[in-house]
Amino acid sequence: QKEVEQDPGPLSVPEGAIVSLNCTYSNSAFQYFMWYRQYSRKGPELLMYTYSSGNKEDGRFTAQVDKSSKYISLFIRDSQPSDSATYLCAMKGAGGSYIPTFGRGTSLIVHP
Amino acid sequence: GAVVSQHPSRVICKSGTSVKIECRSLDFQATTMFWYRQFPKQSLMLMATSNEGSKATYEQGVEKDKFLINHASLTLSTLTVTSAHPEDSSFYICSAEGPGTSGYNEQFFGPGTRLTVL
């Protein structure tokens, strides 16, 4: 079993839909949880960064962490075609340098 | 936000040649940089951690003599793929650790380098 599981998709939704992206993990030591967006042939860019359990909102994006279930989610409201990209979850434990474990990414397609 | 550049963005080379990829942190100093490899529709695979002024730490299964990493300054790390072969064709991405707006140190990724070995 991989440490971080993420459905690769693709996930295809109409413009304006609410998108839900998810990851599960097995390592209970993970404390920091991130979501990255990666456009085709580009490097990933950090979207959301949360510590421990709870919700965090930033514009149209909401990140949720449920440590008891080892489950994290990213919600995108009012999705736009420009949101079409691969979304990677990442997580790491406390301490040490910044070396997260990445999920394989979910490909999202928002069609007009 | 912090910016990391990579050069070249894409390179095509013949089998047996060596290719050097540069990673620069443009507006901050990065003690630690990371090199990743990504295959199509796959996640990022960490190859090595590069610390300024010291030898890189390679992940299990990554050949250090094939993938030479040099971190000569706080703003530059290089990855040299020696005697490249077609199976080395991939997307190579570097990242640099630096202060983020989240309040924690974050990884800032470069735009990646597409290597094609003929």
Side-chain angles (χ1 to χ4, degrees):
Chain A
Q1 180 189 11
K2 290 183 179 179
E3 273 195 303
V4 180
E5 297 278 1
Q6 186 176 12
D7 187 332
L11 176 63
S12 182
V13 302
E15 183 175 356
I18 297 175
V19 175
S20 173
L21 303 166
N22 312 291
C23 287
T24 59
Y25 62 96
S26 58
N27 189 343
S28 58
F30 288 142
Q31 298 282 346
Y32 299 89
F33 304 90
M34 290 75 67
W35 286 95
Y36 288 84
R37 177 175 61 197
Q38 185 178 20
Y39 290 112
S40 181
R41 300 177 186 275
K42 300 291 184 183
E45 58 177 321
L46 182 65
L47 276 180
M48 302 288 281
Y49 193 137
T50 54
Y51 170 70
S52 196
S53 287
N55 294 359
K56 184 175 182 179
E57 187 174 321
D58 185 0
R60 296 185 294 113
F61 299 89
T62 300
Q64 282 187 355
V65 175
D66 182 349
K67 291 187 68 181
S68 61
S69 302
K70 297 189 179 66
Y71 188 89
I72 70 170
S73 301
L74 177 70
F75 298 96
I76 307 175
R77 291 183 297 280
D78 187 24
S79 56
Q80 303 295 311
S82 58
D83 295 327
S84 298
T86 296
Y87 290 80
L88 300 107
C89 64
M91 45 199 79
K92 69 179 285 281
S97 188
Y98 191 94
I99 307 180
T101 300
F102 285 87
R104 63 183 295 184
T106 299
S107 175
L108 171 66
I109 301 168
V110 182
H111 50 87
Chain B
V3 178
V4 174
S5 70
Q6 262 183 262
H7 178 81
S9 58
R10 59 178 64 188
V11 58
I12 300 173
C13 68
K14 293 182 179 180
S15 185
T17 60
S18 294
V19 175
K20 180 185 282 189
I21 303 170
E22 291 186 350
C23 177
R24 293 181 185 273
S25 57
L26 297 185
D27 50 2
F28 67 103
Q29 293 184 328
T31 306
T32 305
M33 290 185 172
F34 305 90
W35 287 95
Y36 291 86
R37 185 173 180 175
Q38 188 178 35
F39 292 105
K41 300 190 184 299
Q42 297 295 317
S43 186
L44 300 169
M45 184 194 81
L46 180 65
M47 299 175 65
T49 302
S50 168
N51 293 296
E52 186 266 338
S54 64
K55 290 184 178 180
T57 302
Y58 290 81
E59 295 299 302
Q60 191 173 9
V62 178
E63 300 175 61
K64 61 181 181 181
D65 294 329
K66 182 166 186 62
F67 299 99
L68 301 178
I69 291 172
N70 184 277
H71 194 156
S73 76
L74 288 172
T75 59
L76 174 64
S77 176
T78 61
L79 168 68
T80 301
V81 183
T82 61
S83 187
H85 289 91
E87 58 266 29
D88 298 324
S89 299
S90 189
F91 193 52
Y92 292 87
I93 308 174
C94 73
S95 70
E97 182 176 321
T101 57
S102 62
Y104 306 102
N105 265 3
E106 297 174 10
Q107 274 198 32
F108 299 95
F109 286 87
T113 297
R114 173 79 53 191
L115 170 63
T116 303
V117 185
L118 303 176

